């Protein structure tokens, strides 16, 4: 199970793209609200019904924590004490973590980027505390996947798919989604 975390002000295209692509790849995932309410409002006013509340999520069954960006959504994720503890626990246990757009700032604040390459929305590199900023659309450093922003939501989701199911699964999805030249 992959948990995609939502706070009010999340970037809709990032959260919904990864949920969509993971489900297409038959990777179980759930939208997890950290707001205390199942309905979460995105940065552009789109209201999304989460699958579960953070308080009800079972992290022993979670394969990966995913954080979509958007502002103020990324700040909401950063400020959620319980989520922070889970992220630190995942990092300590070398379990996979992924964040896109502004959300890698959560990893920076928690001190888990020390010496690791990471992408973040351009201009926010100072939030990658201890990390090595990389200006590429999607960056994978071991079990850590980060990406720059909304335009790369699909590539971010495909990198997560490749991490969890292997590159052949991601390649098949690229073909099905018409991201590769058709013959």
């Amino acid at each position: 199970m992959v948990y995609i975390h939502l706070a009010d002000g999340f970037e809709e295209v990032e959260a919904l793209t990864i949920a969509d692509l993971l489900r297409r790849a038959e990777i179980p995932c759930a939208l997890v609200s950290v707001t205390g309410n199942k309905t979460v409002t995105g940065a552009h006013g789109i209201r999304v019904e989460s699958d579960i509340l953070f308080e009800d999520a079972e992290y022993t069954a979670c394969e990966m924590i995913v954080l979509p960006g958007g502002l103020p959504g990324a700040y909401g994720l950063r400020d959620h004490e319980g989520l922070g503890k889970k992220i630190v626990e995942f990092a300590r246990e070398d379990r996979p973590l992924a964040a896109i757009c502004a959300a890698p700032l959560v990893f920076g604040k928690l001190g888990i980027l020390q010496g690791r390459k990471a992408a973040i929305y351009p201009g926010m590199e100072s939030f990658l505390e201890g990390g090595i900023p990389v200006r590429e659309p999607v960056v994978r450093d071991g079990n850590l996947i980060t990406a720059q922003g909304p335009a790369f939501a699909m590539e971010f989701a495909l990198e997560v798919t490749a991490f969890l199911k292997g590159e052949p699964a991601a390649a098949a999805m690229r073909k099905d989604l018409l991201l590769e030249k058709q013959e």
Side-chain angles (χ1 to χ4, degrees):
M1 175 68 68
V2 174
Y3 284 162
I4 303 162
H5 295 78
L6 304 180
D8 285 322
F10 70 93
E11 176 56 57
E12 295 95 337
V13 72
E14 295 164 358
L16 298 179
T17 298
I18 191 157
D20 180 294
L21 267 62
L22 292 178
R23 289 176 183 177
R24 287 174 193 246
E26 299 179 355
I27 298 170
C29 67
L31 298 172
V32 180
S33 169
V34 301
T35 68
N37 296 306
K38 276 194 145 185
T39 302
V40 186
T41 303
H44 302 96
I46 300 171
R47 296 168 60 83
V48 172
E49 185 81 12
S50 65
D51 299 304
I52 55 176
L53 297 175
F54 176 82
E55 297 79 16
D56 299 326
E58 181 51 60
Y59 283 84
T60 56
C62 179
E63 278 185 83
M64 177 184 275
I65 290 176
V66 175
L67 308 179
L71 294 176
Y75 297 138
L77 297 174
R78 176 197 65 193
D79 296 340
H80 191 277
E81 189 176 317
L83 177 59
K85 287 179 181 177
K86 291 297 179 191
I87 291 168
V88 168
E89 180 182 309
F90 268 55
R92 195 175 32 240
E93 295 172 359
D94 289 323
R95 293 169 69 188
L97 298 163
I100 184 171
C101 195
L105 68 82
V106 177
F107 298 159
K109 178 194 177 231
L110 295 171
I112 63 172
L113 292 178
Q114 299 302 314
R116 300 189 73 181
K117 295 177 184 174
I120 194 167
Y121 193 86
M124 297 186 76
E125 291 83 4
S126 65
F127 289 99
L128 297 176
E129 301 170 41
I132 302 165
V134 178
R135 282 210 173 213
E136 291 188 20
V138 180
V139 175
R140 181 168 157 190
D141 186 337
N143 62 350
L144 179 73
I145 300 170
T146 54
Q148 286 185 325
F152 306 110
M154 196 163 289
E155 284 302 319
F156 174 70
L158 288 165
E159 188 63 34
V160 170
T161 300
F163 182 88
L164 294 171
K165 280 195 97 168
E167 188 55 46
M173 292 213 25
R174 277 188 182 85
K175 184 176 179 185
D176 289 346
L177 294 166
L178 303 179
L179 292 172
E180 291 187 357
K181 185 176 178 180
Q182 303 297 304
E183 296 177 19

